[in-house]
Amino acid sequence: MATDTLSVPAGRAAGAATSNATRLLCAGTYLDPLYRATVIRELLTHRFRVVAPSYGYDAVPVLAHALAARRLHRARLAVLGAGLVLTFVLMGAGVLNGWGGFLAVAWLLWVTSYLRRIVTLQTLLTRLRRGTGAPGDTGGFTGAYPRHPDLTADLVAKIDREQASDGTLVRYSGYKPFVGAGEPVKRWSTAELLIGAPLSPFESPQRTSGAPAAGQEPQRKEVVPFTVEEITSHVAGRMAATLRDEARQAERIEGLAVERSTFTTSVTTRPGLWEPTPGEREGRWEDVYDSGRAYLCVRVGSWNQELVTTAFVGFDLKGNTLHTEFYSYVLAPIKSDFHLVDRLPAALDGRLLLRVAWDTLRAAPGAVLGPALRRARALLPWQPGANRIRVLLPLDTSEFHLGRYADTVLDRGALTSIRELATSDDFHVFFQETDTIKYTQIVERQLLHVVRGFLHEHKVDLAEHEARQTNILSNNFGSNNTFGSHSNFGPGNQDNRSTAPQNGNQGA
């Protein structure tokens, strides 16, 4: 593998590129061949698809290491193939007999596999090890990544642009708009009438004393009009100030990000067009449903960005009614297999080299037969290759099957993220689970408080808001509004989950 590296992108990507989540995902490309192939397919082979937002990590180094790991595998196959050809030539020329040819082939199989293992171990022990942070320690993961011909400047710019989550446009595929955010935890919505707050006896123009007579509607203040943009901007500013900027150091949530993004589809009907046009690369995409929705995204990245809790908050004004939506998602920790990189020895020594040599010899039969069987299975006509692009067409139930004459429907939206593909089914530590609940409740409580203050400033009657607030807070993680697929979000949550539709799109 080449030793030259590219510099880490500046700005937003620089922080995400050095996170522990990015490091573990890069290590996973060497440890899991299926994950490596999936990363390459999602980010390189299917480059017509938009990259999902990257919460707490950078997809560019992960793709770079996936390509480096694949190149290492292909280099081993190339050397092995060349050695086998040379061996057969020597056998044909009579230089080697049958027994000598057999020993040469066996040695080639062992030595190429052994060298590949050593290079992989060396990469994990040096580039992808966790830095100690001690003075003078310049080793460990820095966010830099290997060069590769397929990782062009245009591709890097595309991934950087599309994976950004700082108020940009998120184009999703299928049913779920909050792609990349992980598994759902909780949701609720409210609709509040915007009626004026009642006037006190001292504010009444008639200066009446006492409460109004029975059945008499109290006089009310005139509501100060506001827009969705105004309430969203106010909530975003107050949430960032209360939880991070103006909070005391001990109470500050350092991993907090408050952003606003618009979620929309990106389905096109252009036959034979796999690459976006220049106009589409600049942001002029088709949205056949006109389904764009703007949400405030309050994200908390904890455990060095390995645990990411995100709340999506949406506001809408219709018919003198304020509608508020709240959706909480969590990116659970990365699967434990990828943490193997943290349990490896500090360096390669003679004893470890001998152990690797012996283990390579023991694994030789499986190493020979496994790839051959997988390659043969992939070549079967009823099982397409892993890198072949497939497009799901809408169900055609017309009488004459006229759908065969229609343009190809291509959904270019983000279907999943490489981070979601590496998510563990369970939390590794009990306190990761409790932090998910904690940050969801903190964001939820602060949101309700900030909205209440905004409505009070605009002279809205708060009686309905306070009643709904009490109901929401009293049913935290134990009501029908809670949903998700994890079974470890609290015992009171297991029997009351709603059956939210799941994303059934298995697009290309």
Side-chain angles (χ1 to χ4, degrees):
M1 184 175 63
T3 57
D4 52 336
T5 59
L6 298 177
S7 59
V8 179
R12 182 213 62 83
T18 57
S19 69
N20 195 50
T22 303
R23 183 181 69 89
L24 292 176
L25 293 178
C26 292
T29 61
Y30 295 92
L31 301 171
D32 188 340
L34 179 59
Y35 180 71
R36 173 172 66 245
T38 305
V39 169
I40 295 174
R41 183 186 70 239
E42 293 298 321
L43 298 180
L44 179 63
T45 306
H46 292 175
R47 68 179 68 191
F48 68 89
R49 191 180 296 284
V50 175
V51 179
S54 299
Y55 298 132
Y57 71 97
D58 186 5
V60 174
V62 182
L63 175 59
H65 280 280
L67 292 172
R70 187 182 69 175
R71 177 170 55 188
L72 180 61
H73 175 59
R74 290 180 172 179
R76 184 248 172 177
L77 294 179
V79 172
L80 177 61
L84 292 177
V85 170
L86 179 61
T87 300
F88 291 138
V89 169
L90 293 177
M91 291 177 63
V95 178
L96 293 175
N97 57 19
W99 177 247
F102 173 78
L103 292 179
V105 170
W107 181 83
L108 282 171
L109 291 172
W110 176 84
V111 73
T112 54
S113 179
Y114 175 73
L115 292 176
R116 183 191 174 204
R117 292 191 184 201
I118 293 300
V119 174
T120 299
L121 270 174
Q122 183 67 16
T123 302
L124 295 175
L125 295 179
T126 54
R127 288 187 177 183
L128 299 179
R129 72 175 177 88
R130 187 196 300 268
T132 62
D137 180 20
T138 59
F141 184 67
T142 63
Y145 47 84
R147 296 181 183 272
H148 194 278
D150 291 338
L151 195 65
T152 62
D154 289 341
L155 180 58
V156 171
K158 173 186 181 296
I159 296 175
D160 278 337
R161 179 175 64 253
E162 294 175 351
Q163 73 174 343
S165 58
D166 51 355
T168 55
L169 202 61
V170 177
R171 300 191 178 276
Y172 66 93
S173 171
Y175 173 80
K176 175 188 172 184
F178 307 125
V179 60
E183 294 292 336
V185 176
K186 184 178 182 182
R187 69 176 177 184
W188 53 260
S189 61
T190 64
E192 306 173 35
L193 287 175
L194 300 179
I195 58 177
L199 289 170
S200 68
F202 300 100
E203 295 174 317
S204 174
Q206 300 177 356
R207 296 288 183 180
T208 57
S209 59
Q216 179 181 353
E217 178 68 21
Q219 293 181 307
R220 297 182 178 275
K221 302 176 183 178
E222 184 177 353
V223 175
V224 179
F226 60 91
T227 64
V228 171
E229 177 65 31
E230 290 174 342
I231 187 173
T232 303
S233 299
H234 176 84
V235 171
R238 290 311 307 158
M239 293 286 285
T242 303
L243 298 176
R244 184 188 60 202
D245 300 336
E246 298 177 1
R248 292 181 296 179
Q249 184 65 34
E251 300 177 358
R252 187 174 302 166
I253 302 179
E254 297 294 347
L256 178 77
V258 181
E259 302 152 348
R260 189 181 184 189
S261 297
T262 300
F263 299 83
T264 184
T265 59
S266 58
V267 179
T268 59
T269 54
R270 298 179 181 177
L273 183 63
W274 296 102
E275 289 290 339
T277 63
E280 289 172 327
R281 284 194 290 267
E282 296 167 5
R284 297 191 295 271
W285 290 62
E286 296 180 13
D287 183 1
V288 295
Y289 293 112
D290 191 23
S291 59
R293 297 290 187 273
Y295 285 87
L296 188 65
C297 309
V298 185
R299 186 174 68 255
V300 179
S302 54
W303 297 79
N304 199 1
Q305 297 295 336
E306 233 200 296
L307 182 71
V308 181
T309 307
T310 308
F312 298 93
V313 183
F315 298 101
D316 197 12
L317 289 170
K318 291 290 188 295
N320 198 38
T321 305
L322 173 64
H323 185 259
T324 306
E325 302 171 73
F326 180 90
Y327 305 95
S328 179
Y329 282 73
V330 60
L331 270 172
I334 297 173
K335 59 175 62 176
S336 57
D337 292 350
F338 291 9
H339 285 262
L340 175 65
V341 64
D342 294 330
R343 305 199 308 271
L344 294 174
L348 286 171
D349 53 18
R351 183 177 179 182
L352 181 58
L353 292 175
L354 290 176
R355 289 186 59 185
V356 173
W358 171 245
D359 291 336
T360 304
L361 181 62
R362 293 176 55 191
V368 173
L369 297 178
L373 292 177
R374 286 194 297 269
R375 176 63 62 181
R377 187 166 55 249
L379 294 176
L380 294 177
W382 58 84
Q383 185 173 355
N387 290 330
R388 191 173 301 171
I389 296 177
R390 292 174 293 170
V391 178
L392 293 181
L393 299 179
L395 182 63
D396 182 13
T397 58
S398 61
E399 180 180 1
F400 304 109
H401 296 287
L402 301 181
R404 72 189 72 179
Y405 311 118
D407 291 339
T408 301
V409 176
L410 182 61
D411 190 348
R412 288 177 170 157
L415 183 62
T416 186
S417 70
I418 60 174
R419 171 68 172 83
E420 290 175 308
L421 295 172
T423 299
S424 173
D425 293 332
D426 301 298
F427 293 106
H428 304 322
V429 181
F430 173 78
F431 297 112
Q432 293 175 335
E433 176 185 354
T434 59
D435 279 357
T436 299
I437 300 174
K438 175 181 69 177
Y439 289 124
T440 298
Q441 292 180 340
I442 289 175
V443 171
E444 182 182 55
R445 183 63 183 88
Q446 289 291 342
L447 168 68
L448 293 170
H449 177 71
V450 171
V451 172
R452 183 191 184 281
F454 182 86
L455 296 178
H456 176 72
E457 292 177 359
H458 288 76
K459 305 185 185 308
V460 176
D461 189 358
L462 299 176
E464 185 177 4
H465 177 84
E466 291 174 345
R468 293 183 180 275
Q469 172 178 294
T470 301
N471 180 61
I472 291 170
L473 297 179
S474 63
N475 289 313
N476 259 327
F477 290 88
S479 70
N480 290 329
N481 284 334
T482 308
F483 65 116
S485 63
H486 288 284
S487 61
N488 45 9
F489 282 117
N493 190 24
Q494 297 180 13
D495 298 328
N496 297 311
R497 296 193 188 99
S498 66
T499 56
Q502 299 298 317
N503 185 358
N505 188 350
Q506 301 295 327

